[in-house]
Amino acid sequence: MTSFKKSFVKPFARPSELYTVEDSYWKKLTSPVLVKEFGPIDYVNFSRRAPYHFAISCSARVQVYNPVTKVVTKNLNKFKEAAYGATFRSDGHLLCAGGEESVVRLFEVNTKSMLRQFRGHKAAVHRTYFTRDGHHIASFSDDKTVSLWDISSQQISGHYEGYHKDYIRAGCVSPVSENIVVSGGYDKQINMFDSRTKSVTMSVDHESPVESLIFLPSGSLLISAGGTEVRIWDVLAGKLLAKLTQNHKTVTALCLAKQGTAIVTASLDKHVKIYNVSTFQLSHDITYPSAVLSIDISRDDKTIVAGTVDGIVNITKRDTSVKHNNENKRRQARAAAIVQSDGIDMSVPIMQPDQMSKFDTALRKFNYSQALDLVLVHAVAFKKPHITVYVFDELCRRNGLVQAISGRNSKQLAFLLNFIVRYIGVRKLSKTLTHVASTVIDCYWDSFDTCTLEVRALLTKLHTVVENEILLTKRLLAIDGLVKMLLISSEVLPDATQTTKIDNKIVVKN
């Protein structure tokens, strides 16, 4: 004798996941490690080479941390005043930094020795970056100038003056060209310089003092932060593409994550927000205990470092252990089981044996009426209608639908009709419920005259719903016919120069 198999209710897939990939990616953050520094954290920058050390510019020194042990491995203290904007070269061996002394310094990270000092600015240098070829350093200063320094000769290879009317506190270099440099000032202007032409190739107005600039990896999109807005610019067309306005206080820093497919912003409102580059929509939000001045994320996205105004370095790791991966798979499996009906999304949980045992037991005992009663309750019928429809399908397969529907009182019949009226128009359920509605009418045809007013009202409503569905179907068929006629009329007959219609037949004349 064959054993009775537990029913499997096939879930309907939802077009988009409720639990997004971004949520699962960024919610695996562990408890942060807090390190106290002397003064506000001006800038954070990660090396692009493993093990992805990061440099903290704070007070009169630059400190290099190990992301695994969270301890200082190198202390660069050749500064007499505040150090600003320390950044690694792409190979991770060299580091450049500005400072309050208006000098740009170049360090070898491993030996901590200072290799070069570039003098020429007349005010504090807040941002310094290596160009793409690694042979030049771009510096942005409060003296309203931008300079390009040749590392080998220790001389200025490019100098741009008179384009800004206020302090330059933001800048970046192109990731695809060693000749492109972009500056952002407190005069609200963003200027793009090309070292080959010695002139400005693009100038746009951010409409707020610019705090941070960054290129996307393609080099064609520029992101600027200033005031409460983050703006995305098309540098080829020189026009604004989008605005991100999720913050209510000044946005202080920008960086990229997920190999350049996510934009990360830090703000004085204590929030770090992560946006999807393809849609520019907010995908995740991290809250910090105090205003955030600087932020950066390691290239493998495992470490997030944020610097705050009160001198706290907040180091957070992203847990990629097997436990979290398994939990993520369970969440995605639950989210994938979604049915969308009447504009309402209803989740379909993974059914456990004890959840399915009641109507399974009734079906196993051929007690069809009881099996239907178990799924014609509000908690199932109007929250998980696919389960109720599955039981209807199973009863049809067993030729037990008439037995299950017959002999119901007015209250039970009203509930059944209410369910049919509500879901008969849903595409995935309509085929089964149309058959059920026909069976209900056949079973109770002789007793409808004695039914309650509620049942009669539901029958009238069912009649209206069915008529509307028929009318809609006719209109769709008419539209389908018109589209087919247009497609047929647009076709070109092969080797035909003239067509005539004789006795409703198309005759081709060559």
Side-chain angles (χ1 to χ4, degrees):
M1 184 177 70
T2 59
S3 60
F4 183 84
K5 295 183 179 180
K6 182 177 75 67
S7 301
F8 172 72
V9 181
K10 183 180 178 181
F12 295 123
R14 186 188 178 190
S16 59
E17 295 182 355
L18 179 66
Y19 191 83
T20 65
V21 176
E22 291 289 337
D23 286 332
S24 63
Y25 194 85
W26 295 112
K27 283 189 175 180
K28 295 185 292 186
L29 300 177
T30 60
S31 299
V33 174
L34 306 180
V35 180
K36 185 70 173 76
E37 286 286 353
F38 299 98
I41 310 301
D42 173 74
Y43 200 71
V44 179
N45 183 252
F46 270 93
S47 171
R48 300 189 64 186
R49 294 297 178 92
Y52 306 112
H53 289 82
F54 59 91
I56 299 293
S57 304
C58 175
S59 186
R61 58 185 178 181
V62 174
Q63 297 195 110
V64 179
Y65 283 79
N66 186 308
V68 179
T69 61
K70 283 86 171 176
V71 298
V72 177
T73 59
K74 300 290 187 296
N75 189 358
L76 310 177
N77 52 8
K78 302 294 184 179
F79 302 87
K80 297 179 180 179
E81 298 184 49
Y84 300 134
T87 56
F88 286 97
R89 196 167 71 172
S90 58
D91 58 8
H93 298 315
L94 299 181
L95 181 144
C96 63
E100 194 69 33
E101 305 165 59
S102 68
V103 177
V104 179
R105 291 178 170 87
L106 177 67
F107 297 90
E108 186 179 9
V109 177
N110 291 332
T111 62
K112 301 189 296 182
S113 59
M114 185 168 61
L115 304 179
R116 295 282 192 275
Q117 291 190 75
F118 303 96
R119 300 180 181 273
H121 285 294
K122 300 176 182 178
V125 179
H126 280 266
R127 293 294 177 263
T128 59
Y129 299 96
F130 288 96
T131 57
R132 182 179 179 273
D133 58 9
H135 300 154
H136 297 80
I137 296 173
S139 59
F140 307 86
S141 173
D142 281 354
D143 62 7
K144 311 171 191 176
T145 66
V146 178
S147 294
L148 275 173
W149 307 89
D150 185 272
I151 294 176
S152 59
S153 65
Q154 205 171 341
Q155 300 296 320
I156 289 181
S157 60
H159 186 70
Y160 306 96
E161 186 174 358
Y163 297 100
H164 285 280
K165 299 178 181 179
D166 207 338
Y167 297 156
I168 302 176
R169 295 288 176 88
C172 64
V173 294
S174 172
V176 296
S177 173
E178 59 273 12
N179 301 302
I180 301 298
V181 177
V182 182
S183 64
Y186 275 14
D187 58 358
K188 308 177 185 179
Q189 293 296 312
I190 300 172
N191 294 320
M192 179 180 290
F193 305 98
D194 191 330
S195 61
R196 293 166 294 188
T197 62
K198 309 292 183 180
S199 62
V200 173
T201 59
M202 184 191 77
S203 182
V204 293
D205 187 0
H206 185 84
E207 299 181 359
S208 294
V210 183
E211 300 287 346
S212 184
L213 292 169
I214 193 170
F215 270 105
L216 288 183
S218 64
S220 60
L221 295 182
L222 175 71
I223 306 168
S224 62
T228 58
E229 288 187 351
V230 175
R231 299 190 177 191
I232 293 90
W233 306 88
D234 184 341
V235 299
L236 300 178
K239 65 179 182 179
L240 179 66
L241 293 182
K243 294 181 183 179
L244 310 180
T245 57
Q246 300 284 345
N247 296 96
H248 60 271
K249 287 189 178 181
T250 302
V251 181
T252 54
L254 297 169
C255 71
L256 298 177
K258 299 187 70 174
Q259 303 298 318
T261 61
I263 303 170
V264 183
T265 68
S267 172
L268 296 180
D269 61 9
K270 305 179 184 180
H271 287 271
V272 168
K273 298 182 184 292
I274 302 172
Y275 299 88
N276 190 308
V277 168
S278 59
T279 62
F280 300 127
Q281 296 296 316
L282 181 67
S283 58
H284 195 65
D285 190 348
I286 307 172
T287 305
Y288 286 85
S290 56
V292 183
L293 279 182
S294 52
I295 185 91
D296 201 11
I297 299 179
S298 61
R299 196 174 187 184
D300 58 359
D301 294 335
K302 290 184 179 180
T303 308
I304 303 175
V305 178
T308 61
V309 294
D310 54 2
I312 299 295
V313 180
N314 192 305
I315 307 171
T316 309
K317 298 286 288 185
R318 193 173 63 83
D319 195 345
T320 56
S321 62
V322 177
K323 176 182 177 181
H324 280 85
N325 289 335
N326 291 338
E327 178 64 22
N328 179 33
K329 290 179 181 178
R330 287 194 294 270
R331 285 177 175 174
Q332 289 184 350
R334 288 196 296 268
I338 300 290
V339 60
Q340 190 171 17
S341 172
D342 291 337
I344 303 174
D345 292 337
M346 291 165 287
S347 60
V348 182
I350 303 302
M351 306 302 293
Q352 302 297 333
D354 57 339
Q355 292 178 279
M356 300 291 286
S357 60
K358 292 184 179 180
F359 71 76
D360 262 340
T361 302
L363 289 173
R364 185 166 65 247
K365 295 180 179 180
F366 305 99
N367 195 340
Y368 298 146
S369 181
Q370 183 185 1
L372 186 57
D373 290 339
L374 290 170
V375 294
L376 279 180
V377 293
H378 191 277
V380 178
F382 296 115
K383 293 186 177 180
K384 306 179 184 72
H386 65 289
I387 296 179
T388 305
V389 173
Y390 165 79
V391 174
F392 277 129
D393 282 331
E394 184 66 17
L395 292 172
C396 292
R397 190 181 68 82
R398 295 165 176 249
N399 295 322
L401 183 61
V402 175
Q403 177 186 340
I405 290 176
S406 302
R408 295 184 172 271
N409 57 38
S410 298
K411 185 176 180 181
Q412 293 173 326
L413 184 59
F415 192 95
L416 175 58
L417 287 173
N418 195 12
F419 176 80
I420 295 173
V421 168
R422 182 167 181 175
Y423 293 108
I424 196 170
V426 178
R427 180 177 58 84
K428 294 179 180 178
L429 311 179
S430 60
K431 183 178 179 181
T432 301
L433 292 183
T434 301
H435 179 66
V436 172
S438 177
T439 305
V440 170
I441 293 173
D442 290 340
C443 290
Y444 293 92
W445 179 263
D446 297 330
S447 60
F448 277 138
D449 293 337
T450 60
C451 288
T452 61
L453 294 176
E454 182 183 6
V455 173
R456 294 182 182 180
L458 287 170
L459 285 171
T460 303
K461 191 174 181 180
L462 177 61
H463 176 71
T464 303
V465 170
V466 171
E467 277 193 336
N468 291 337
E469 289 295 326
I470 293 173
L471 180 61
L472 177 62
T473 302
K474 288 181 178 178
R475 290 177 178 175
L476 291 174
L477 288 174
I479 295 172
D480 181 61
L482 291 173
V483 172
K484 287 181 178 179
M485 289 178 61
L486 291 172
L487 293 175
I488 292 172
S489 63
S490 64
E491 293 180 356
V492 179
L493 295 174
D495 300 328
T497 59
Q498 186 179 0
T499 61
T500 59
K501 189 174 182 182
I502 301 176
D503 296 333
N504 295 325
K505 296 181 179 179
I506 297 178
V507 179
V508 180
K509 294 183 179 180
N510 294 323

